[in-house]
Amino acid sequence: MASLGAILRHPDDFYPLLKLKIAARNIEKQIPSEPHWGFCYTMLHKVSRSFALVIQQLGPDLRNAVCIFYLVLRALDTVEDDTSIATDVKVPILIDFYRHIYDRDWHFPCGTKDYKVLMDQFHQVSTAFLELEKTYQEAIEDITKRMGAGMAKFICKEVETVDDYDEYCHYVAGLVGLGLSKLFHSSGLEDLAPDSLSNSMGLFLQKTNIIRDYLEDINEIPKSRMFWPRQIWSKYVNKLEDMKYEENSIKAVQCLNDMVTNALIHAEDCLKYMAALRDSAIFRFCAIPQIMAIGTLALCYNNIEVFRGVVKMRRGLTAKVIDRTKTVADVYGAFFDFACMLESKVGKNDPNATKTLTRLEAIQKTCRESGLLSKRKSYILNNENGSTMIIILVIIVSIIFAYLAANRQK
């Protein structure tokens, strides 16, 4: 849970944070008893707590399929990300990974921490995969095969142009969007979405992560991971790693803003995709990460801290997104508000200011034309001074927790 100081600064965060904490504990209690399914859901919670929360929106059969889909692709991604694996070893594994998911005995030691556990015990994932319905298995196999081949291609190829960037993001994330659309369709709950919209759902998330994770990727040991396209960064610096140095701060931020502007091109497709969803659980599952993405872009834009450390939404705002995203009106409202926040940060001297503003205006126009902005209560742009009663409540709860903890020690 967030610190007491953070809650006092944003007292309206308290109740959503409390609900999030309770939901996280309930997830731990609901882990299946079968060893392989227990492993899968435990591992899902460890490698992505936010995804583990969001996936709970789904019904049991679809939830199991999405859980395994996520873990299979996370394992594939672990192989790709491990820079200590020699290329001649890594490429065949990536290409053949779709075959390994049918092998109950296959595993491959790589990765670190929880990802190492996932890879060492991948047979648990395969066992669960083989219990899924055939249509789910076929969708997961197809996407895994295509993604592995795409990853292998970019092991031996630099991301030079914006087209390369889009292609790489398609392989590692756009295909996830296509795969999820197939799983939703196989469940009988949704029509099959157009590939172009499914692809944009993945690209919007992936490009946000690539922007946010600049410093982590560039400092990767033993070898840097470079996903920002040369066509963009070469306009500002001689080497991609130069942006982490203080003397290049101005150019680094201009490049960052260029990257954010590139990501925004997918926002309207994402809104179209989500507006077409019929099932409320699938809608929430899709909508929450997309709102988090545009919120993260708004925080990253014009922010030198991207090159100094980690930039992410505060936990309380994340809790609000999870708690209050229930209808398409909530999505239009959040996209509109974050677009306004981002717009307020655009400086007239930025080289891409006109392009950035044009894309933000397009997002805002789509949200206005939905006719739904008046049907939601904004929690993003409100001035959160907070009420005295909420602050008092926080203090009382803190005292109670301290009292109970002291009694336990006695």
Side-chain angles (χ1 to χ4, degrees):
M1 200 159 174
S3 67
L4 180 60
I7 293 174
L8 289 175
R9 285 192 299 274
H10 304 279
D12 289 347
D13 291 354
F14 176 73
Y15 185 54
L17 278 166
L18 183 61
K19 290 177 72 174
L20 188 64
K21 186 76 171 175
I22 293 169
R25 288 185 176 176
N26 287 340
I27 289 171
E28 293 174 5
K29 294 176 184 176
Q30 294 168 3
I31 291 174
S33 57
E34 300 96 323
H36 51 291
W37 282 108
F39 172 84
C40 290
Y41 277 98
T42 299
M43 192 53 52
L44 181 67
H45 185 72
K46 288 182 177 179
V47 300
S48 180
R49 289 189 178 186
S50 58
F51 190 82
L53 282 166
V54 173
I55 200 177
Q56 295 304 313
Q57 314 298 326
L58 305 175
D61 290 344
L62 182 56
R63 181 169 65 236
N64 285 343
V66 173
C67 173
I68 299 307
F69 183 48
Y70 182 89
L71 290 178
V72 166
L73 300 187
R74 178 58 73 182
L76 183 64
D77 189 55
T78 300
V79 176
E80 186 211 20
D81 283 350
D82 194 330
T83 53
S84 68
I85 304 173
T87 299
D88 61 340
V89 174
K90 181 182 290 190
V91 169
I93 293 173
L94 293 173
I95 291 172
D96 291 336
F97 205 90
Y98 74 100
R99 302 180 192 274
H100 300 317
I101 60 179
Y102 286 95
D103 185 350
R104 294 177 189 267
D105 298 320
W106 186 87
H107 64 94
F108 181 75
C110 68
T112 59
K113 299 179 182 177
D114 291 326
Y115 300 103
K116 185 179 187 307
V117 176
L118 173 63
M119 297 307 298
D120 287 344
Q121 299 191 47
F122 190 76
H123 62 279
Q124 305 270 24
V125 180
S126 297
T127 300
F129 167 79
L130 291 169
E131 293 181 3
L132 297 176
E133 292 181 14
K134 191 70 175 175
T135 53
Y136 289 146
Q137 289 183 11
E138 290 171 350
I140 293 171
E141 177 191 348
D142 174 56
I143 298 301
T144 305
K145 181 178 182 179
R146 293 161 67 183
M147 185 180 291
M151 286 178 168
K153 176 179 179 178
F154 276 90
I155 292 296
C156 308
K157 177 182 179 180
E158 294 286 333
V159 179
E160 296 283 346
T161 67
V162 172
D163 285 344
D164 290 341
Y165 183 45
D166 286 343
E167 184 182 10
Y168 172 76
C169 289
H170 165 73
Y171 286 132
V172 300
L175 286 173
V176 179
L178 269 66
L180 287 171
S181 293
K182 285 187 175 185
L183 295 179
F184 300 156
H185 183 245
S186 295
S187 73
L189 297 171
E190 297 289 351
D191 295 330
L192 186 60
D195 284 356
S196 60
L197 299 186
S198 300
N199 188 58
S200 282
M201 289 283 283
L203 264 63
F204 194 55
L205 298 180
Q206 183 64 22
K207 288 185 175 183
T208 299
N209 290 340
I210 286 174
I211 291 166
R212 182 198 63 198
D213 293 342
Y214 165 84
L215 193 63
E216 178 185 338
D217 289 337
I218 210 72
N219 288 337
E220 180 74 19
I221 296 173
K223 182 183 177 183
S224 295
R225 291 182 294 171
M226 301 186 185
F227 303 118
W228 291 34
R230 182 185 296 271
Q231 186 178 343
I232 290 179
W233 62 256
S234 63
K235 292 186 286 184
Y236 306 96
V237 289
N238 293 323
K239 297 178 182 177
L240 183 57
E241 58 265 33
D242 289 347
M243 290 194 293
K244 68 180 180 179
Y245 301 120
E246 192 168 346
E247 61 266 28
N248 297 317
S249 294
I250 294 175
K251 290 295 185 182
V253 168
Q254 290 175 348
C255 182
L256 167 65
N257 294 347
D258 202 342
M259 289 288 290
V260 171
T261 301
N262 172 273
L264 290 173
I265 200 168
H266 305 290
E268 290 171 87
D269 275 356
C270 293
L271 290 170
K272 289 177 187 175
Y273 182 100
M274 290 183 283
L277 294 171
R278 299 193 306 258
D279 183 82
S280 60
I282 290 174
F283 169 79
R284 276 175 52 77
F285 170 80
C286 293
I288 291 168
Q290 298 295 333
I291 293 174
M292 297 287 292
I294 193 167
T296 300
L297 290 177
L299 289 176
C300 287
Y301 185 87
N302 219 33
N303 189 349
I304 190 61
E305 289 304 312
V306 171
F307 305 100
R308 305 287 182 263
V310 179
V311 174
K312 59 182 179 180
M313 288 170 59
R314 71 175 192 275
R315 189 159 177 76
L317 185 53
T318 298
K320 282 182 178 177
V321 171
I322 293 172
D323 182 48
R324 301 184 186 182
T325 302
K326 294 181 172 62
T327 68
V328 72
D330 298 324
V331 172
Y332 281 122
F335 266 65
F336 183 84
D337 286 348
F338 278 124
C340 290
M341 181 189 294
L342 211 159
E343 183 182 33
S344 71
K345 299 171 71 176
V346 179
K348 62 181 180 180
N349 294 324
D350 186 87
N352 295 283
T354 301
K355 186 189 296 185
T356 307
L357 291 171
T358 299
R359 290 188 180 165
L360 290 171
E361 286 163 8
I363 295 168
Q364 292 165 331
K365 182 172 182 283
T366 298
C367 295
R368 284 195 198 94
E369 290 178 349
S370 72
L372 297 173
L373 289 183
S374 62
K375 296 184 179 181
R376 100 303 181 202
K377 182 179 179 182
S378 174
Y379 57 90
I380 295 165
L381 296 180
N382 284 349
N383 183 17
E384 295 184 295
N385 291 322
S387 68
T388 303
M389 290 302 297
I390 295 177
I391 295 174
I392 292 172
L393 177 62
V394 171
I395 294 171
I396 291 172
V397 170
S398 300
I399 292 171
I400 292 170
F401 274 118
Y403 175 77
L404 293 174
N407 281 347
R408 281 199 210 99
Q409 289 176 356
K410 290 178 182 179

